[in-house]
Structure formats: C-alpha cells, structure tokens
Amino acid sequence: MPASNSNPPPEPTRPLGLFDAYGLEVEYMLVDGERLDVAPAADQLLEAAAGELTDEFANGDVAWNNELALHVIELKCNGPRPSLAGLGRAFADNVKLANALLGREGLRLMPTAMHPWMDPNEVRLWPHGTRDIYDTFDRIFSCKGHGWANLQSLQINLPFADDDEFARLHAAIRFLLPILPGLAASSPVIDGGRNGVLDNRLVVYRSNCARVPSVTGDVVPEPIGSIGEYHERLLEPIYRDLAPLDPEGVLRNEWVNARGAIARFDRMAIEIRVLDVQETPVMDVAYAALIVEVLKLLCAEQWLDRDGMNRWRTAELGKLLTLAARQGEGAGIGEKQYLAAFGLRSSGIELKGLWEHLIETVSARGSLPDDTGRLLEHYLRHGTLATRIGKAVGLLPTRAKLARVYEQLCESLADSQVFAPPPPPPPASPLAG
C-alpha cells in the first residue's frame, strides 16, 4: 500500500566515505580438543550460542557466521565501526565465549590460515539454509581441495562513497596487495609437512577456480577507473564464463569474483581477502590498523598518483604476490620504482625491511596507538607467524611435533597472546682440557 503522508520521509543516509568506517572478519577452525583434528560442528556452535539453529548469531559488536566448510566459524564486525579501537578485545571476548561453548563438547578453536594435516577430501560443507550456493560451487569447482576446504583469512572491508573514491581506493589496494603476505603469512604447513612456502593458503587459493580462470584472474585485480568499468571489464566476463556451467545464475553475484580484493557494491566497500588469519585477533587488528594507515597515504597520493599506481601491469604485481606468498618477509624486492612508490630509496630490500619502513612512516605521524606499535614490534623482531611456526616445528616435523606446536597456537588464541618462536639453543660448552 502507498506510504502515509502524515510523516515526512526519513532523511537519506549519507554514504560512508573513505576511511569513515571499518569492517573486519576473522575465521577460525573448530577442532577436537585433544587430537586437534577438524571438527565439522559450526552449526552446533551457532545453535548453542543463539538457542536455535541459525547461520548468524549477533553478540553485541561482533557477529558469528557460518562458512562454506562446516568446521569453520567466522567472527565479524556487527556493522561498520568508526574506529578499530577495542576491536581486538571484542573479538578476543567472543573467542572465549566460543571456546567455552565448544569445550562442553570437547572441542576448541584453532587459529592460522590452514590446518596442518587436514585431508580436504574429507571436508563437510555447510548443509543448511543457503546451501544451494555452496552446492553450486562444489558441482562446478569441487570443494574437496585445500583451496576450498582449508582456508582461514582476515578480511578488511573499507567503504567508498562515489566513483572517485572507489577508483582511488581500488588503485591503492591493488598496489599494496602484493606485499601483504610479507606481513601476514601464517600457513607454512600443509598435508602434515613443510614445503618451503610460507603462505600456502594463497598458493592453493590461486588454483581453486582453475576451471573458469576469469573468476580468480591473477588474484591481483586489474586496474579499474570507475564502478561502471568494474562491471563491464571484470564482472560481466566472469558471469559470461560461468553461464554455461551455472544456467540458473546461482553464482551471478559480485561475491563470486575471487580476486584478492573485490568490490562489494551491496555495501559500497572493497574487501581485502589475501591476509592469513593470525594467532590472536589483537594481532589481526594491529595488522589491519597498519594497512589502513598505509592505504590512507596511498589514497592521498603521498608518493605516487593514482594513474602511476594503475600503470603497473597486473602480471608484474601478480609475480610479486607469488614471490611474497612463497618467501614471506624474506622475499627480496629489487624494483626501485616500486620501492620509491612507498617513499623508500633503495636498490633492493627484503619485504620485512619495506614493512619496517612503512611502520616507521605511519608511527612518525602518530597514527598508531602504543599497543599496536608493540604488536608490530613483535613482527619486526620475530617475523611473520609462518616464520615463527616454521622455527617451532622444524624442517621435517613429526605429527607429534606439529600437534604440540598447534596446541600452543590454540592456547595463544584462547589467551589472546602472541606466539613467539622457541629461543635458540645455548651454545655448546667447550670441552674441558
């Protein structure tokens, strides 16, 4: 029926502009409390929290959601936040609540971006509600692989108000994306062993939609100058390529784009998706705070204008992302122009050195609170979580060794404490003469 004329229409809500608000999402595995095998029980956890079977439970500032795999739970901001302050503690409180509920069934939460010995062929998908989307993904791509079944990430959502802000933010995120694994890699163990790669999640993620290559592209998104161009050059080709396999259009939605940063026009935001989840949400939030401050400088064209960032070829940035995923903070960058675009004059440096420069740059501006600075200092002293895990498990870890280290990581998550590598062994004492 038509609206009543007795009350004036509400004032239109002003869209959120660049850095007006933030939205973070973190994902964790449900595992057996003793064996640490994955436990497909996210539906039971949500039911225990909400009092009924549901796919979302709102708990104040934080909401819990299901994911594709039944052993994964997502914690996210319950709506846009004007600041990241206090978010790490809010997530940590919800981790404690989830662990308390899981503990009744002998289960617990495990952090990091990949389970160290999970067999992806045994994955169970979410069987409730909107399962037609998951079933369609499974039918087309087969979700029985690490690239679907064994991935946990931190996702950062940043708003834009109009075409110009979208173009500025997209260019900045695209340019920063390749070096993010040098900060956040946390998946050095896969199939029960080490393979020398620090961010295995990104490596397997690249190939999870290989049947329709346009869905993932080079992970690094193409340079895009407007919202209309994004639809025309990026989304429509994906929809066309999927149509023969998805004639009902179940996946014809902007979220099917699997690049490392995607536009979410339904909420006028860009979602960054390449970050491995850390051992405690306070570290995830610290990394997010740093990334946001760097993006502010890039959006303000502090060192390079938008056109200059977009002139970098996607293939070039994709190669850098691959290198960073494999070598983490130890990856060497010899491209002087790329380094200069972050205000660093150098002929070559490891990614950790570039991140140290960026930390110092934003810290000098007074942009980071003291507790965030202390967490970033932990990174500078000990490296990525992947490096710390690697030092703890060794080059050829046994299943028992992996279990001990990943139990410590579960404790780090439960207690909201950062994970430190084991101290080096003391030097051998000289033999008495």
Side-chain angles (χ1 to χ4, degrees):
M1 59 184 294
S4 167
N5 291 325
S6 60
N7 294 309
E11 289 291 326
T13 302
R14 185 182 70 85
L16 294 169
L18 285 179
F19 310 110
D20 279 349
Y22 310 93
L24 268 58
E25 307 167 27
V26 290
E27 299 164 341
Y28 298 113
M29 297 167 274
L30 279 64
V31 298
D32 183 273
E34 294 184 0
R35 298 188 306 274
L36 301 186
D37 297 329
V38 295
D43 51 356
Q44 298 173 43
L45 173 59
L46 285 164
E47 185 173 9
E52 60 181 356
L53 182 59
T54 180
D55 59 6
E56 179 169 301
F57 165 62
N59 185 35
D61 290 340
V62 176
W64 308 9
N65 278 90
N66 73 290
E67 284 293 324
L68 178 144
L70 193 54
H71 69 274
V72 177
I73 193 75
E74 175 188 82
L75 306 181
K76 68 179 184 181
C77 296
N78 191 15
R81 290 178 63 97
S83 167
L84 294 176
L87 182 56
R89 175 47 53 197
F91 277 142
D93 290 343
N94 279 264
V95 165
K96 288 185 181 298
L97 175 57
N99 268 334
L101 295 171
L102 290 169
R104 300 172 186 174
E105 307 299 326
L107 307 177
R108 71 192 310 180
L109 295 180
M110 176 185 282
T112 78
M114 296 187 77
H115 191 280
W117 62 75
M118 175 191 178
D119 180 355
N121 290 303
E122 298 177 358
V123 68
R124 289 177 56 189
L125 305 185
W126 178 263
H128 313 287
T130 55
R131 58 174 294 175
D132 57 326
I133 295 173
Y134 301 144
D135 289 346
T136 304
F137 274 124
D138 191 32
R139 177 177 57 79
I140 295 174
F141 299 110
S142 178
C143 295
K144 295 185 182 299
H146 285 297
W148 290 96
N150 191 14
L151 304 176
Q152 288 73 233
S153 65
L154 160 68
Q155 297 169 26
I156 305 174
N157 289 267
L158 299 172
F160 56 87
D162 52 33
D163 226 29
D164 178 68
E165 289 192 356
F166 168 75
R168 288 164 58 196
L169 183 61
H170 190 270
I173 290 174
R174 174 180 180 268
F175 194 70
L176 182 64
L177 203 73
I179 67 171
L180 293 180
L183 184 69
S186 76
S187 45
V189 182
I190 184 172
D191 292 325
R194 302 278 306 281
N195 60 3
V197 174
L198 294 190
D199 199 328
N200 278 287
R201 184 187 72 90
L202 270 183
V203 171
V204 299
Y205 181 83
R206 276 182 172 273
S207 59
N208 65 358
C209 295
R211 188 178 182 187
V212 184
S214 60
V215 172
T216 305
D218 288 320
V219 181
V220 175
E222 296 80 351
I224 299 289
S226 69
I227 294 172
E229 184 183 0
Y230 192 93
H231 281 279
E232 179 182 349
R233 287 189 52 211
L234 201 152
L235 291 179
E236 288 300 329
I238 294 175
Y239 299 156
R240 287 196 299 269
D241 293 346
L242 279 171
L245 302 171
D246 179 27
E248 296 181 349
V250 174
L251 304 182
R252 187 182 173 86
N253 197 293
E254 61 198 29
W255 40 250
V256 77
N257 174 18
R259 282 156 181 75
I262 68 170
R264 297 300 304 268
F265 298 115
D266 57 344
R267 53 182 181 248
M268 292 292 279
I270 297 179
E271 182 177 88
I272 302 171
R273 310 171 89 188
V274 299
L275 294 155
D276 281 9
V277 77
Q278 302 302 302
E279 73 273 36
T280 167
V282 296
M283 186 64 89
D284 290 293
V285 175
Y287 285 169
L290 171 63
I291 290 164
V292 163
E293 294 304 322
V294 175
L295 287 173
K296 286 180 181 179
L297 294 175
L298 291 173
C299 284
E301 302 181 343
Q302 176 79 11
W303 305 293
L304 183 67
D305 63 24
R306 183 200 330 178
D307 290 340
M309 287 184 270
N310 279 336
R311 275 195 291 270
W312 282 78
R313 293 189 299 114
T314 303
E316 289 179 293
L317 297 177
K319 288 179 182 178
L320 179 53
L321 177 66
T322 298
L323 181 66
R326 292 188 173 277
Q327 299 182 17
E329 72 273 36
I333 303 180
E335 178 52 70
K336 291 190 291 185
Q337 289 183 322
Y338 187 80
L339 297 174
F342 290 102
L344 181 61
R345 295 182 178 275
S346 173
S347 59
I349 195 170
E350 291 186 347
L351 271 186
K352 189 175 180 182
L354 175 54
W355 277 113
E356 182 174 14
H357 161 74
L358 292 173
I359 291 169
E360 291 174 350
T361 299
V362 298
S363 296
R365 298 167 61 90
S367 304
L368 297 174
D370 291 344
D371 56 346
T372 297
R374 287 190 291 270
L375 291 165
L376 297 176
E377 179 62 28
H378 187 79
Y379 160 79
L380 293 176
R381 290 181 59 197
H382 300 295
T384 59
L385 180 55
T387 293
R388 288 174 267 151
I389 292 172
K391 290 179 180 179
V393 302
L395 290 175
L396 297 170
T398 63
R399 176 68 169 267
K401 182 65 171 178
L402 288 174
R404 286 195 296 272
V405 171
Y406 277 80
E407 182 175 8
Q408 293 170 9
L409 288 160
C410 290
E411 292 298 326
S412 291
L413 177 60
D415 297 335
S416 195
Q417 296 294 320
V418 294
F419 180 78
S429 299
L431 295 176

